[in-house]
């Protein structure tokens, strides 16, 4: 299943309309490795495809943007319903290759996710972001995200 998205990227002075694809095959998933590894350096490449396939069984959806046969940006998401906010689209992962940052790919993916969330009758789109990821935070503020909680984690 492929989705054409109506948002333009300016690349080398040329307006392009990126195509967002859903990673289904092992090859699709493997193509997302480099962008995901920038965000999740603890991952092991040899385990990546199987880990994503296991997460897909739990409702995780991985989408990506190709440019010249290179996966330049990825987003991974799922749906939750929680008492405090109702149904949400939760963004697990959002990453763009370093050479392709500041060109609008993350915004294209976010706009795509907003539309998916509306189609699925979600009340919100939510994500967590590491406190040191200030460049990502600038994007989230521009996209009207707000900080409404601390996320606590206890390792077991």
């Amino acid at each position: 299943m492929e989705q054409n998205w109506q948002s333009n990227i300016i690349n080398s002075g040329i307006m392009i309309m990126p195509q967002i694809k859903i990673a289904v095959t092992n090859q699709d998933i493997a193509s997302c490795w480099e962008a995901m590894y920038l965000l999740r350096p603890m991952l092991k490449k040899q385990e990546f495809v199987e880990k994503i396939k296991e997460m897909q069984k739990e409702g995780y959806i991985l989408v990506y943007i190709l440019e010249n046969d290179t996966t330049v940006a990825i987003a991974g998401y799922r749906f939750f319903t929680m008492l405090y906010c109702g149904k949400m689209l939760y963004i697990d992962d959002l990453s763009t290759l370093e050479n392709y940052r500041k060109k609008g790919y993350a915004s294209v993916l976010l706009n795509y996710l907003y539309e998916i969330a509306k189609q699925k009758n979600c009340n919100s789109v939510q994500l967590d972001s590491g406190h040191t990821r200030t460049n990502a935070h600038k994007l989230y503020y521009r996209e009207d995200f707000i900080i409404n909680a601390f996320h606590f984690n206890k390792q077991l």
Side-chain angles (χ1 to χ4, degrees):
M1 177 202 290
E2 294 181 4
Q3 180 84 20
N4 286 320
W5 191 246
Q6 312 254 328
S7 187
N8 295 327
I9 298 289
I10 297 177
N11 184 5
S12 303
I14 300 169
M15 190 77 75
I16 62 169
M17 187 180 304
Q19 186 178 48
I20 297 172
K21 297 183 173 199
I22 299 173
V24 177
T25 68
N26 288 0
Q27 184 178 351
D28 294 343
I29 296 168
S31 79
C32 298
W33 164 253
E34 190 177 349
M36 186 68 78
Y37 183 72
L38 289 174
L39 182 64
R40 310 280 182 225
M42 75 294 287
L43 295 176
K44 292 181 173 67
K45 188 172 186 176
Q46 65 273 21
E47 298 172 359
F48 178 64
V49 171
E50 286 307 312
K51 196 169 281 237
I52 294 296
K53 290 179 95 54
E54 186 65 31
M55 291 171 62
Q56 287 173 331
K57 293 176 189 172
E58 299 171 354
Y60 180 84
I61 301 165
L62 180 61
V63 295
Y64 62 103
I65 296 175
L66 282 176
E67 183 179 304
N68 299 323
D69 297 324
T70 299
T71 297
V72 298
I74 59 94
Y77 67 97
R78 60 183 90 213
F79 298 96
F80 289 109
T81 301
M82 299 183 81
L83 292 174
Y84 83 92
C85 66
K87 187 173 182 182
M88 76 167 101
L89 183 151
Y90 181 82
I91 302 171
D92 290 63
D93 310 295
L94 180 64
S95 182
T96 303
L97 294 180
E98 289 178 5
N99 290 342
Y100 296 86
R101 291 183 179 166
K102 299 191 184 289
K103 294 184 179 186
Y105 290 104
S107 292
V108 167
L109 286 168
L110 286 170
N111 285 320
Y112 171 80
L113 295 176
Y114 302 152
E115 289 304 314
I116 296 293
K118 289 174 191 172
Q119 291 171 14
K120 297 288 187 177
N121 298 314
C122 293
N123 298 319
S124 62
V125 172
Q126 299 192 29
L127 57 84
D128 288 318
S129 182
H131 62 89
T132 61
R133 300 186 62 81
T134 54
N135 285 335
H137 301 164
K138 290 175 188 175
L139 169 66
Y140 303 143
Y141 286 132
R142 277 195 313 272
E143 292 287 331
D144 296 324
F145 281 83
I146 59 168
I147 298 172
N148 64 353
F150 290 107
H151 179 92
F152 292 91
N153 176 354
K154 179 178 174 101
Q155 294 294 310
L156 303 176

